[in-house]
Amino acid sequence: MAETPNARPSETRVQRLQRLRRAVESSGALHLKDAAELLKVSEMTVRRDLAGPEAALALLGGYVVNAASPTGIKYTFEQEIDQHTQDKLLACRSAAASIKEGDTIFIDCGTTMQSLADCLPEDMPLSVICYSMNVATIVTRRPATQVMLMGGLYHPSSQSFSSDDGLSYLRRLGINKAFISAGGLHWTRGSSCSNFHEVAIKQAAIATAMESILVVDASKLGSLKPAFFSDVGAFSRIIVGGSVPSDMRKHFRSLPVEYVTSAT
């Protein structure tokens, strides 16, 4: 992709990174397209600038963020797959128990949602909307399940896809239950995740579904990730798998939180 006509050939990579750092410090995150427009260069040039180890910035879900801050730490599917496995399974079994024959359900991306896909009632006729490879791999093997996979640009960090067309498709569907995952759930700062490209998809699913259910393991409570997607009041149910100390539970007393600490 060629540089834009208004590119600054005299500006060095170091100077461009300095301007990007100032913009990120001011806004917290900057979309790749906006970063390219700010610097008057192509998006590919911005990607190349950020590729060096000394950049101090990272490209996360299509946004330029501060790699040195806690909110700039990248989520990867491989890092999360073996974390809190039993607690995720507890939450997912409880969530799956609410599914009824003939339901159209949305299953979010992430390792928790992989567990939910595994917990779907055997042989129950369902329609499943998803946008991640790991979930699609499981539900497409179910003979009684109609699968609607949202396509688009593939994001390896969460094995998921995103596109404007996918969002438009999602908004036209009738959804009985949307099962949403989160990297963090804070009593005042709401629900958040690590990948910015997931935000619009989660929000569209929540807005479209008759019922939205947040499914998380206990480690997510009190955590805050860089990409906010909803207030805590957006969910009719919040299912938490694993043991949660009483001093943490008190922050969520006014919310429809269900703590699952053992298999039933």
Side-chain angles (χ1 to χ4, degrees):
M1 182 176 178
E3 300 295 334
T4 63
N6 295 321
R8 301 183 180 184
S10 61
E11 191 171 47
T12 67
R13 174 176 178 272
V14 172
Q15 290 172 324
R16 290 195 297 269
L17 286 173
Q18 288 175 342
R19 288 214 290 152
L20 273 183
R21 279 196 293 270
R22 288 195 293 268
V24 169
E25 287 171 0
S26 174
S27 62
L30 190 67
H31 195 278
L32 176 61
K33 179 180 179 181
D34 295 330
E37 291 179 354
L38 172 69
L39 300 177
K40 304 300 180 186
V41 297
S42 68
E43 293 182 12
M44 183 57 68
T45 295
V46 177
R47 291 181 183 273
R48 287 197 296 264
D49 285 351
L50 297 175
E54 76 286 3
L57 298 170
L59 189 61
L60 183 64
Y63 286 77
V64 181
V65 298
N66 186 347
S69 71
T71 56
I73 297 174
K74 293 185 178 180
Y75 168 98
T76 64
F77 185 85
E78 289 76 12
Q79 288 173 338
E80 287 291 314
I81 188 64
D82 293 323
Q83 300 296 316
H84 312 288
T85 303
Q86 187 58 36
D87 290 348
K88 292 175 182 178
L89 186 57
L90 288 171
C92 289
R93 284 174 177 166
S94 179
S98 68
I99 298 172
K100 298 178 181 179
E101 182 174 326
D103 272 352
T104 297
I105 64 173
F106 170 87
I107 301 181
D108 206 351
C109 69
T111 56
T112 300
M113 295 293 103
Q114 177 175 313
S115 293
L116 179 63
D118 279 326
C119 290
L120 294 179
E122 291 289 338
D123 300 322
M124 178 182 286
L126 296 171
S127 294
V128 176
I129 306 156
C130 60
Y131 66 108
S132 64
M133 287 292 291
N134 60 318
V135 172
T137 298
I138 296 170
V139 296
T140 51
R141 295 172 181 166
R142 294 170 50 86
T145 297
Q146 175 180 251
V147 180
M148 291 160 275
L149 177 63
M150 298 165 55
L153 178 66
Y154 180 63
H155 302 271
S157 62
S158 58
Q159 296 190 7
S160 60
F161 299 88
S162 67
S163 69
D164 290 340
D165 288 342
L167 279 175
S168 297
Y169 176 65
L170 176 61
R171 294 187 179 108
R172 294 196 301 270
L173 298 174
I175 304 173
N176 297 104
K177 298 178 179 71
F179 295 98
I180 308 296
S181 63
L185 179 64
H186 193 276
W187 52 94
T188 60
R189 303 298 294 274
S191 307
S192 55
C193 60
S194 296
N195 293 319
F196 285 88
H197 75 270
E198 298 173 18
V199 171
I201 300 172
K202 292 175 187 285
Q203 290 176 338
I206 292 169
T208 305
M210 293 181 63
E211 182 180 5
S212 297
I213 303 167
L214 185 68
V215 186
V216 295
D217 67 82
S219 71
K220 305 303 191 296
L221 299 192
S223 295
L224 179 67
K225 298 300 180 182
F228 166 83
F229 64 87
S230 75
D231 294 322
V232 290
F235 306 101
S236 57
R237 297 174 66 195
I238 299 173
I239 304 175
V240 180
S243 178
V244 179
S246 58
D247 60 342
M248 177 62 72
R249 289 192 183 203
K250 68 181 182 182
H251 296 295
F252 298 93
R253 283 176 182 166
S254 62
L255 298 170
V257 180
E258 304 166 27
Y259 300 99
V260 188
T261 57
S262 62
T264 56

